[in-house]
Amino acid sequence: MIINIATEFPYYFKSKDDDVISLEKEMKTYFTNKKYTEHVETFLIGIVCDGFMRARKRPRYYDDVYLNDPFIRGEKYHICRTFEMDIELDYNHFFTSDRQGGYNIIARTLLKALDEMKYPLKIRKEFDKNRFNRDMREFFVNVMHCNLEDEEMPELTKEELNKLEKQSHQLDFLDKLDGAGLEKFARNALEGLMNYPKEKVEGMGQLEKLKTMVDSVLKDSSEKLLRDH
């Protein structure tokens, strides 16, 4: 079975994306010759942790369908024998953790979600949940050397909280763009956010947050951009 991992992280925590890429590589190797049902060839794990996006609560299974491409209007893509699930990590503690600490948090969160999850009816009887969960646990312990014991997460210091808050409002790379580049970024960002799957939207919180960030970069000219949308 193929294991894929997709992340919803802020751009400024690239090191965490790199950590997950390494995790995915190890997971692909470990599960490549394992099979838990004939009906699932790809198992996609979405990891959501960016302070305002929310994970989808229900897993999804696609037998053989064509879905609208979220990035290219009017285009569709083919997906078959694919199972998708999301987990949501604690924002503050994950992004202040080191590499191994981050793996520990992912391991505990994912294993708990797998234990509690009800698979879609179409594959519920077919999928060998117990063996898969056992293999996943062994992977995190023996390959990633994770500590799976529940531990009380330490309170973040004021300095750590201030650092996270500052990072969440900075778009440093935009300083390198000229006026036209800034405008293009703002328009594309707003359009992409407005087309984001509604099941991952918590009210309009992320739209308001993006507007605030665009305001800080474009200042007075941003008002016109936001009105245009």
Side-chain angles (χ1 to χ4, degrees):
M1 187 171 70
I2 299 172
I3 302 285
N4 290 330
I5 301 179
T7 59
E8 293 284 355
F9 293 167
Y11 83 93
Y12 44 81
F13 285 119
K14 185 179 183 302
S15 63
K16 288 301 186 184
D17 273 317
D18 293 340
D19 292 347
V20 173
I21 289 172
S22 298
L23 172 65
E24 182 187 50
K25 182 179 179 181
E26 296 290 347
M27 200 174 284
K28 282 180 180 291
T29 300
Y30 185 84
F31 285 94
T32 186
N33 294 319
K34 298 181 184 295
K35 183 175 290 188
Y36 303 93
T37 173
E38 295 292 333
H39 300 289
V40 178
E41 295 178 352
T42 302
F43 197 106
L44 175 63
I45 302 168
I47 302 179
V48 180
C49 187
D50 71 354
F52 56 96
M53 291 294 184
R54 290 292 174 261
R56 291 180 300 191
K57 294 182 179 180
R58 294 184 179 180
R60 296 185 176 188
Y61 173 71
Y62 301 98
D63 185 21
D64 188 1
V65 297
Y66 286 86
L67 301 177
N68 292 327
D69 191 315
F71 303 107
I72 305 176
R73 186 172 299 175
E75 295 292 324
K76 293 183 178 292
Y77 66 97
H78 184 214
I79 183 170
C80 63
R81 297 189 178 185
T82 297
F83 176 84
E84 297 181 357
M85 66 170 294
D86 284 354
I87 60 172
E88 188 171 332
L89 308 181
D90 180 275
Y91 177 80
N92 289 346
H93 288 109
F94 181 65
F95 286 121
T96 53
S97 67
D98 59 16
R99 186 184 182 101
Q100 186 59 54
Y103 287 153
N104 292 343
I105 292 172
I106 291 174
R108 296 184 194 119
T109 306
L110 177 58
L111 291 172
K112 184 176 185 293
L114 290 175
D115 285 340
E116 296 176 351
M117 184 172 61
K118 290 185 178 180
Y119 284 78
L121 285 173
K122 198 161 189 177
I123 61 170
R124 187 173 298 174
K125 293 182 179 181
E126 302 285 339
F127 193 85
D128 193 340
K129 174 180 177 177
N130 292 334
R131 184 163 63 88
F132 177 65
N133 291 5
R134 184 170 62 250
D135 287 347
M136 187 64 76
R137 181 175 293 273
E138 290 177 357
F139 163 77
F140 278 116
V141 172
N142 298 327
V143 178
M144 303 307 297
H145 310 294
C146 290
N147 174 14
L148 303 183
E149 297 297 323
D150 289 333
E151 59 181 0
E152 185 175 349
M153 302 304 290
E155 291 292 330
L156 298 182
T157 65
K158 184 176 181 180
E159 289 74 18
E160 288 174 324
L161 289 171
N162 287 339
K163 182 179 179 181
L164 283 170
E165 181 67 17
K166 182 178 179 181
Q167 287 172 320
S168 70
H169 288 86
Q170 285 180 336
L171 296 176
D172 296 336
F173 75 97
L174 293 178
D175 294 336
K176 301 176 182 179
L177 299 177
D178 58 19
L182 289 172
E183 181 172 338
K184 182 178 180 181
F185 165 79
R187 290 184 181 279
N188 288 342
L190 286 171
E191 182 178 356
L193 185 57
M194 289 178 177
N195 291 329
Y196 205 79
K198 291 182 179 179
E199 61 268 27
K200 286 191 176 182
V201 174
E202 185 187 27
M204 295 298 288
Q206 68 271 48
L207 179 58
E208 293 305 318
K209 184 171 183 178
L210 182 55
K211 285 181 178 181
T212 299
M213 289 191 291
V214 172
D215 279 339
S216 68
V217 175
L218 303 181
K219 296 183 179 179
D220 294 340
S221 62
S222 69
E223 295 181 2
K224 182 178 183 300
L225 288 177
L226 296 175
R227 285 198 302 270
D228 290 343
H229 285 269

